[in-house]
């Protein structure tokens, strides 16, 4: 199976009650949805949502990394033994590609 399309969508959601994270209150959650679609029309989704003041990456750094990853995923063959990618990007693509 080959990845035909790799899309990135940004989201921003207001929280009902402020979220207390690392000594700060957050009034919204922001992140990205990564959508992969195969030639056969199968789809997979992943979420990237760094928490401000807690995550190593900022939202902007996460977007930069996603933009660098996107062309590496395009037209990539997905190994048949990959059922989920839970921690599998490094195994699949290798550290040199990420």
């Amino acid at each position: 199976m080959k990845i035909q399309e790799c899309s990135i969508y940004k989201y921003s959601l207001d929280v009902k009650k402020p979220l207390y994270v690392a000594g700060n209150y957050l009034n919204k959650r922001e992140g990205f949805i990564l959508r992969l679609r195969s030639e056969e029309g199968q789809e997979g989704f992943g979420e990237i949502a760094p928490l401000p003041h807690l995550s190593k990456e900022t939202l902007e750094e996460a977007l930069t990394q996603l933009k660098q990853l996107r062309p590496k995923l395009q037209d990539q063959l997905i190994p048949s033994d990959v059922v989920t990618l839970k921690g599998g990007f490094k195994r699949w693509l290798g550290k040199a590609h990420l």
Side-chain angles (χ1 to χ4, degrees), residues 65-94:
Q65 292 172 11
L66 282 170
K67 287 180 176 180
Q68 292 170 350
L69 180 63
R70 183 172 35 192
K72 295 173 184 173
L73 291 173
Q74 189 73 33
D75 297 322
Q76 185 71 233
L77 286 173
I78 301 172
S80 59
D81 63 337
V82 173
V83 177
T84 67
L85 289 178
K86 185 178 181 180
F89 273 114
K90 284 184 183 175
R91 283 192 317 274
W92 175 27
L93 299 174

Side-chain angles (χ1 to χ4, degrees), residues 19-82:
L19 180 64
Y20 188 73
V21 177
N24 297 282
Y25 284 97
L26 301 178
N27 294 314
K28 62 182 172 180
R29 282 295 282 133
E30 295 180 292
F32 303 97
I33 301 294
L34 177 66
R35 176 181 163 252
L36 302 178
R37 189 170 64 82
S38 75
E39 293 175 317
E40 295 84 12
Q42 296 166 315
E43 294 182 325
F45 296 87
E47 179 189 22
I48 301 88
L51 282 166
H53 313 290
L54 189 63
S55 299
K56 289 191 300 184
E57 295 89 7
T58 65
L59 193 64
E60 294 77 24
E61 290 169 333
L63 178 58
T64 297
Q65 292 172 11
L66 282 170
K67 287 180 176 180
Q68 292 170 350
L69 180 63
R70 183 172 35 192
K72 295 173 184 173
L73 291 173
Q74 189 73 33
D75 297 322
Q76 185 71 233
L77 286 173
I78 301 172
S80 59
D81 63 337
V82 173

Side-chain angles (χ1 to χ4, degrees), residues 8-28:
I8 301 168
Y9 303 96
K10 183 177 181 182
Y11 70 84
S12 179
L13 300 170
D14 292 334
V15 294
K16 190 173 184 178
K17 192 174 177 182
L19 180 64
Y20 188 73
V21 177
N24 297 282
Y25 284 97
L26 301 178
N27 294 314
K28 62 182 172 180

